[in-house]
Amino acid sequence: KNEVEQSPQNLTAQEGEFITINCSYSVGISALHWLQQHPGGGIVSLFMLSSGKKKHGRLIATINIQEKHSSLHITASHPRDSAVYICAVPYLSAQKLVFGQGTRLTINP
Amino acid sequence: NAGVMQNPRHLVRRRGQEARLRCSPMKGHSHVYWYRQLPEEGLKFMVYLQKENIIDESGMPKERFSAEFPKEGPSILRIQQVVRGDSAAYFCASSPQTTTSNGYTFGSGTRLTVV
């Protein structure tokens, strides 16, 4: 079993829809990262959070430390949001990140 | 602040050649991490370095791969005698402290193709 599990693996939606991507992890952590990767592109850090909720524009990330679960929400989705979204957690001694397998999001106009 | 700079962006090597990938961390960042993303797979940790020290290389293949972060200059990931299976995207990240600190930043990656 992977330490970090994401769902769904693939998600296709229409422009304007509300999007939710889930991440569950099995190790104790002090922070969780949400990352975005466009095809053939680099990796952009969207959020690092250790409790509660963070918002940046149309993106919202929440985390429940007790349940070991985090969600990434996108409101009023747009085709430019199409990308792979990855959650990652520091592992054990916090010297490295362990990644989920990613969620490939496609927003159709 | 130019962020984490990786070069080259794309690198093509023939089997048996050497590949050198460079990473300049963000200004003020003393921690560097290398990750590999094989085609259609997730990111995997390779090595964690601080200036002049390898802190954790548990993700590095035992042979042909090495990494350094000298006192002056960028961090280098070196792959000797490349094979087709080394074809991947290699990402570098840096942070001012550990992976739990704000400011954890990725570079744009180097895409290595072995022909």
Side-chain angles (χ1 to χ4, degrees):
Chain A
K1 185 181 184 299
N2 294 328
E3 288 89 359
V4 183
E5 296 277 353
Q6 283 185 240
S7 63
Q9 288 195 22
N10 293 283
L11 178 57
T12 300
Q14 290 300 120
E15 184 173 356
E17 286 189 40
F18 181 81
I19 302 299
T20 295
I21 299 170
N22 296 300
C23 176
S24 298
Y25 51 91
S26 58
V27 294
I29 65 167
S30 53
L32 180 144
H33 297 254
W34 278 103
L35 310 168
Q36 179 194 57
Q37 185 178 26
H38 285 282
I43 296 170
V44 175
S45 180
L46 298 175
F47 295 103
M48 191 196 75
L49 66 166
S50 55
S51 64
K53 176 178 168 178
K54 284 190 175 181
K55 185 175 189 290
H56 185 256
R58 295 180 294 105
L59 300 177
I60 303 166
T62 63
I63 189 168
N64 185 319
I65 294 290
Q66 287 75 27
E67 295 187 3
K68 295 186 177 175
H69 181 268
S70 176
S71 293
L72 177 69
H73 305 284
I74 306 175
T75 62
S77 59
H78 190 276
R80 64 175 174 266
D81 297 326
S82 298
V84 176
Y85 292 84
I86 305 165
C87 70
V89 300
Y91 185 71
L92 295 178
S93 60
Q95 293 172 348
K96 56 195 178 189
L97 292 178
V98 175
F99 300 84
Q101 73 274 35
T103 295
R104 188 176 301 275
L105 174 65
T106 303
I107 303 296
N108 293 319
Chain B
N1 191 338
V4 177
M5 302 300 293
Q6 286 190 251
N7 66 81
R9 288 293 303 272
H10 299 274
L11 181 61
V12 179
R13 283 288 178 265
R14 295 188 185 278
R15 282 180 294 170
Q17 290 185 319
E18 178 180 289
R20 279 180 173 252
L21 287 62
R22 294 174 185 77
C23 169
S24 295
M26 283 187 70
K27 188 176 180 181
H29 286 193
S30 57
H31 298 239
V32 167
Y33 313 82
W34 285 94
Y35 297 93
R36 179 166 67 173
Q37 187 176 41
L38 293 167
E40 303 304 319
E41 292 190 21
L43 288 150
K44 294 282 179 10
F45 168 80
M46 298 184 75
V47 62
Y48 161 47
L49 311 101
Q50 295 180 27
K51 281 287 186 182
E52 299 185 278
N53 286 305
I54 296 174
I55 307 302
D56 180 351
E57 56 182 347
S58 58
M60 289 279 270
K62 297 296 181 210
E63 296 177 347
R64 302 186 296 107
F65 284 71
S66 63
E68 62 176 6
F69 188 16
K71 187 176 179 181
E72 301 290 338
S75 176
I76 305 286
L77 180 67
R78 182 181 176 207
I79 311 172
Q80 295 178 287
Q81 300 173 342
V82 296
V83 300
R84 288 230 170 96
D86 297 332
S87 295
Y90 293 82
F91 290 94
C92 169
S94 72
S95 71
Q97 296 172 23
T98 68
T99 52
T100 54
S101 66
N102 280 319
Y104 197 92
T105 306
F106 283 86
S108 298
T110 292
R111 280 150 184 85
L112 172 66
T113 303
V114 180
V115 297

